[in-house]
Amino acid sequence: MSTPPADPHLPAVHLRPPRNWINDPNGLVFHDGSYHVFFQYNPHAPHHANVHWGHFRSPDLITWEELPVALAPTPGGDDADGCFSGNAISVGGRLVAFYSAHRTDRWWQPVTTAESHDGGRTWAKRPELLIPKPPADTTMYRDPYVWQQDGRWRMLVGSALADGRGAALLYEADDLENWVFLGPFHTSARADTADPAGWECPQYATFGDRGALIISDWTHQDGPRHVTVHTGHEEHGRFTATASPVRLDHGPDFYAPALLRDPGEDRWLLWGWSWEARDAEWSNEAGWAGVLTLPREVTLADDGTVAQRPARELLALRGERVLHRAGRVTQAEAVELAHLGSTFDLTATLIPDPSGTSGLRLVTSADDTEYLDITLDPTAGRLIVDRGHASLDPRARTGTYTLPCPAAKVPGTPVELRVVVDRSIVEIYLASGQVLTLRFYPLGDAPWRLHTRTTGTVGTEFVVAAWDLNPGGIHQQPFLAGRGQNV
């Protein structure tokens, strides 16, 4: 494994620069043989301000190169207070970024663009705003998402309507220049006007004649809340959901995901933002905040269920296998499975004890007082993640979170899960495609210890394997914030 950084909580295989603030992934695009991932970035401090677009690219989702900052606010310009979220397309040999131009003296964020003709190293901003004003009866307007469908360009913009509904607004164009507003593509139910809903970062994935609309739910009172996915189909510029919206990720630390359609593999990839779950004072001391999730493959099942799995390329990050064990654990005594580093990829198959709870415990202190629990509850049919004892530092957030797991209710049925731990971020995937993302901040030095345990009287059968993760190739360079833009 790599030499630990000065801050042992800085992830090794998840994308982010070595310092300062990041949030939403932006502009995910495949261009000229490379995957490009842009993201909201403050290159000068570990807090949300002075927002630029940072930039990584990769030929294979494993080896990443940090490129110069793509977009920076123009003093006195339409984006003087931040180049906020949006997306990018590859067209005619060039990259075109669509983004939200932020100024603190207006409530809406107009849509504008920038172009690059050298693979994203330098950018020229559009001299005038692309869509300067929001439609009438809107109270929030930001975060364009542009794609091509049936020979036309389409754009969704996140919005809130005056009647309290969140909305994804639809535009269309033939030429990327002259956009026609077609009305709401989809809206939420009417919300309490005391805390009206807003829809941020709309993303739309098509699967034949069906679609999945991903929304980041936001309110004026609470700000960012969670991410929901609406599945259904489109008719005449309106999306009709065929099921109730569900959580895309069941963890507390996941927001603002973005999609990329991989032309070579004919698949959808997704990255999300995982914010910090510790006091801002601690993040400021560490000098960094925020991380992007691992890339996930997104599919839509016949029954309308959206499933997520780690991108298949990530298997190449696995190094030495440090655990492979099968057996049975009883109520009498937990089984210690292995010592693990702070960055690993784990698979487990558990046949839950029907008379109690059972699962895994990652112990991160020598005296067993610091640990993260991942537990199956067969009565409730759910997986439970408890970080109440995951850090001995009181500045770390606690809490218990659940993931639907109907298979756990069926006696004798194996439950398969994959757990990726990267120092301070945990991504837990069930074989059903449900996901939970969570941050934790253990103070105990690795190697940590992995236990399996049960509270039932019958016993739990298990097969568990784990691999150290190699950092791959995240080549980061301290580019100046102002280099490479506003040509």
Side-chain angles (χ1 to χ4, degrees):
M1 298 185 62
S2 62
T3 301
D7 182 355
H9 299 120
L10 184 69
V13 300
H14 286 70
L15 271 183
R16 64 151 292 116
R19 292 189 60 78
N20 298 318
W21 170 275
I22 75 164
N23 57 295
D24 307 5
N26 293 148
L28 308 185
V29 63
F30 188 83
H31 174 77
D32 196 24
S34 292
Y35 299 93
H36 293 257
V37 173
F38 301 86
F39 50 92
Q40 299 282 273
Y41 177 43
N42 179 356
H44 305 300
H47 56 263
H48 186 254
N50 193 32
V51 174
H52 296 53
W53 274 33
H55 185 190
F56 281 99
R57 73 175 176 186
S58 171
D60 54 11
L61 301 180
I62 298 296
T63 303
W64 292 92
E65 176 189 8
E66 186 179 17
L67 294 181
V69 165
L71 303 176
T74 299
D78 291 310
D79 59 7
D81 297 309
C83 300
F84 276 21
S85 292
N87 83 323
I89 60 171
S90 173
V91 57
R94 71 190 194 279
L95 287 169
V96 183
F98 296 79
Y99 69 100
S100 303
H102 177 54
R103 288 184 63 113
T104 57
D105 57 3
R106 62 177 176 234
W107 62 262
W108 72 96
Q109 295 173 15
V111 178
T112 193
T113 66
E115 291 190 7
S116 175
H117 294 263
D118 58 3
R121 289 189 170 274
T122 60
W123 294 80
K125 291 183 178 179
R126 180 186 179 86
E128 301 92 18
L129 295 169
L130 182 66
I131 303 178
K133 298 277 186 161
D137 297 323
T138 56
T139 60
M140 186 188 91
Y141 186 85
R142 52 181 176 259
D143 308 336
Y145 173 73
V146 175
W147 78 104
Q148 191 172 35
Q149 185 175 345
D150 299 328
R152 288 181 62 77
W153 291 102
R154 316 188 80 195
M155 178 194 297
L156 295 179
V157 180
S159 183
L161 304 182
D163 63 7
R165 291 178 295 162
L169 306 180
L170 178 63
Y171 294 77
E172 286 192 350
D174 292 322
D175 57 4
L176 296 177
E177 291 292 327
N178 300 292
W179 292 89
V180 177
F181 175 55
L182 300 181
F185 185 65
H186 192 50
T187 69
S188 68
R190 190 168 279 106
D192 180 355
T193 54
D195 192 18
W199 279 5
E200 295 192 294
C201 305
Q203 306 283 303
Y204 188 56
T206 55
F207 302 86
D209 60 355
R210 299 178 301 154
L213 176 64
I214 297 173
I215 296 297
S216 294
D217 292 290
W218 178 93
T219 69
H220 286 276
Q221 180 174 314
D222 299 325
R225 298 178 65 193
H226 50 253
V227 179
T228 52
V229 57
H230 307 243
T231 57
H233 61 274
E234 179 192 350
E235 291 184 83
H236 310 298
R238 298 294 182 269
F239 181 80
T240 300
T242 54
S244 298
V246 296
R247 291 280 293 267
L248 183 69
D249 187 296
H250 295 266
D253 306 317
F254 177 90
Y255 196 70
L259 289 167
L260 184 158
R261 184 156 203 167
D262 187 339
E265 297 285 344
D266 191 25
R267 61 175 173 169
W268 288 97
L269 296 172
L270 177 145
W271 281 257
W273 164 40
S274 188
W275 50 46
E276 295 301 307
R278 55 181 173 175
D279 287 356
E281 176 189 3
W282 192 356
S283 294
N284 289 336
E285 291 172 1
W288 65 277
V291 63
L292 300 188
T293 66
L294 295 173
R296 303 172 180 179
E297 297 182 12
V298 180
T299 55
L300 182 61
D302 291 340
D303 65 359
T305 301
V306 173
Q308 301 171 77
R309 295 175 177 83
R312 64 200 71 167
E313 287 88 346
L314 299 181
L315 292 174
L317 290 175
R318 288 179 175 177
E320 179 186 0
R321 189 174 74 180
V322 292
L323 167 63
H324 186 266
R325 187 165 174 184
R328 184 180 185 87
V329 62
T330 64
Q331 185 183 40
E333 187 176 7
V335 174
E336 183 170 309
L337 298 173
H339 288 197
L340 298 173
S342 59
T343 301
F344 60 87
D345 187 352
L346 177 149
T347 61
T349 301
L350 305 173
I351 300 180
D353 188 327
S355 63
T357 61
S358 51
L360 303 171
R361 172 172 288 184
L362 180 63
V363 181
T364 55
S365 68
D367 63 0
D368 294 354
T369 59
E370 186 181 72
Y371 54 86
L372 178 74
D373 274 339
I374 302 172
T375 305
L376 289 169
D377 182 344
T379 302
R382 59 185 184 177
L383 182 144
I384 303 166
V385 184
D386 183 354
R387 66 178 178 191
H389 300 276
S391 178
L392 296 177
D393 194 312
R395 296 176 295 175
R397 292 178 197 152
T398 59
T400 301
Y401 306 91
T402 63
L403 189 60
C405 185
K409 300 182 74 171
V410 183
T413 300
V415 175
E416 298 179 14
L417 61 151
R418 184 170 173 187
V419 181
V420 181
V421 173
D422 189 8
R423 294 178 177 157
S424 65
I425 181 170
V426 185
E427 297 186 46
I428 301 171
Y429 300 81
L430 288 174
S432 62
Q434 302 300 300
V435 189
L436 188 152
T437 301
L438 177 142
R439 304 294 303 278
F440 78 130
Y441 305 90
L443 299 186
D445 294 333
W448 300 329
R449 290 170 289 136
L450 184 70
H451 294 176
T452 184
R453 52 201 300 117
T454 183
T455 64
T457 58
V458 176
T460 295
E461 296 181 26
F462 63 85
V463 179
V464 184
W467 294 260
D468 282 339
L469 285 177
N470 297 316
I474 301 179
H475 304 300
Q476 298 170 324
Q477 300 181 36
F479 290 107
L480 297 176
R483 176 182 169 187
Q485 68 269 338
N486 304 339
V487 176

